[in-house]
Amino acid sequence: MTDRPLTLMAVHAHPDDEATGTGGVLARYAAEGIRTVLVTCTDGGCGDGTAGTKPGDPGHDPAAVASMRRRELEASCDVLKISDLEMLDYADSGMMGWPSNDAPGAFWRTPVEEGAARLAELIGHYRPDVVVTYDENGFYGHPDHIQANRITMAALEMTALTPKVYWTTMPRSMMQRFGETMREFQGDMPEPDPAEAAALAEIGLPDDEITTWVDTAAFSDQKFDALAAHASQGENIFFLRMGKERFGELMGTETFVRVKDSTGAAVPENDLFAGLR
């Protein structure tokens, strides 16, 4: 036993990802006295600008968007009581197939070894007991999410540490509820074409393949407020339209797949730190 606090490190691609996928666990474990470290890989410059300007639109300034999103990220970290924020500050690559994928400094075109070496330094500094990032497909195929997975797994190989490692995911049953809720709050949403519907059906995992179900219901208000802190991206955060009560009903559990473990803790588990305390 040492005096070093238990530490959770979450590696995310963009400002606002920390709230969407892991806001509940970050808030919960911070409240339990666990050190929470957020690594955000990109500057978010491909997000919406002021007045909702989109990348490529007249008046969209990636540098100004990145600065704005940095302030929003810091506000979200305050809401979630995150102990430490680290920014790798790679350029946001945008969605798959965008010209920004190949722009100088884009995270997607950065050699994995380079990003992994920088992250390995942070892992060596903070010595996390638990590391969370995305799965190999970045959950839904976003290039920066895929790259975050790649550099995280490579960085772990560069260190002698053996933290528990988790990938964020969602059970298919919850994905179905999300779809129903989206149609409820976005009544004019068109039905996806068959190919898109088939792709959406492959997102997440069957319920029985989820290893870790963490109850974060007591922290759903914080998660909501952290999402709301990213006000410039509000158009993309349909969850805020449903209000805190419905949000808490839908978002009160966060789910993961455990991919590395040295504790022998049984699965399914309800605590990322099972076997460590």
Side-chain angles (χ1 to χ4, degrees):
M1 297 294 291
T2 70
D3 293 330
R4 185 180 65 82
L6 287 171
T7 299
L8 166 65
M9 175 180 283
V11 182
H12 281 292
H14 312 98
D16 79 14
D17 289 333
E18 81 291 338
T20 306
T22 55
V25 291
L26 287 166
R28 170 179 163 166
Y29 290 122
E32 294 178 6
I34 288 171
R35 187 178 197 179
T36 51
V37 180
L38 170 63
V39 180
T40 301
C41 297
T42 80
D43 60 11
C46 285
D48 291 356
T50 54
T53 54
K54 305 292 185 184
D57 287 350
H60 185 276
D61 180 350
V65 171
S67 178
M68 174 177 61
R69 297 194 72 184
R70 172 63 182 253
R71 294 191 297 272
E72 292 176 338
L73 177 60
E74 291 170 350
S76 173
C77 288
D78 286 343
V79 169
L80 298 174
K81 310 301 182 187
I82 290 171
S83 308
D84 300 272
L85 170 63
E86 297 284 355
M87 297 284 291
L88 298 186
D89 272 332
Y90 290 108
D92 189 342
S93 309
M95 300 299 288
M96 190 68 81
W98 285 14
S100 49
N101 292 175
D102 296 317
F107 188 39
W108 180 238
R109 68 175 290 177
T110 298
V112 169
E113 296 78 9
E114 176 192 320
R118 293 181 61 195
L119 182 58
E121 287 187 14
L122 295 174
I123 291 172
H125 174 72
Y126 289 106
R127 303 182 65 82
D129 302 279
V130 171
V131 174
V132 175
T133 192
Y134 314 100
D135 64 20
E136 294 165 306
N137 190 46
F139 185 60
Y140 66 99
H142 193 295
D144 288 331
H145 290 221
I146 294 170
Q147 189 77 329
N149 166 277
R150 290 174 177 172
I151 74 161
T152 301
M153 303 312 292
L156 289 164
E157 291 297 321
M158 293 177 177
T159 75
L161 302 176
T162 57
K164 297 178 79 178
V165 181
Y166 293 87
W167 293 346
T168 58
T169 191
M170 195 170 292
R172 297 268 166 79
S173 62
M174 190 178 293
M175 288 297 299
Q176 182 177 351
R177 291 199 300 276
F178 276 163
E180 294 166 354
T181 304
M182 286 182 73
R183 285 188 287 273
E184 176 185 348
F185 284 89
Q186 298 178 201
D188 58 348
M189 187 175 69
E191 289 292 327
D193 63 44
E196 185 180 347
L200 289 172
E202 294 300 313
I203 295 177
L205 290 172
D207 290 34
D208 61 1
E209 294 183 23
I210 306 293
T211 64
T212 312
W213 305 68
V214 183
D215 180 0
T216 60
F219 303 93
S220 62
D221 282 3
Q222 277 178 265
K223 181 169 179 169
F224 185 98
D225 290 341
L227 281 168
H230 295 280
S232 70
Q233 309 306 304
E235 178 182 327
N236 299 321
I237 305 174
F238 90 94
F239 305 111
L240 301 178
R241 302 178 189 177
M242 66 183 71
K244 286 187 174 180
E245 183 175 351
R246 287 293 302 279
F247 180 86
E249 293 170 0
L250 188 65
M251 304 288 283
T253 302
E254 291 182 351
T255 51
F256 306 85
V257 171
R258 194 175 81 190
V259 293
K260 287 185 179 291
D261 173 63
S262 60
T263 70
V267 293
E269 60 188 0
N270 59 12
D271 179 9
L272 297 178
F273 289 86
L276 294 169
R277 56 178 179 173

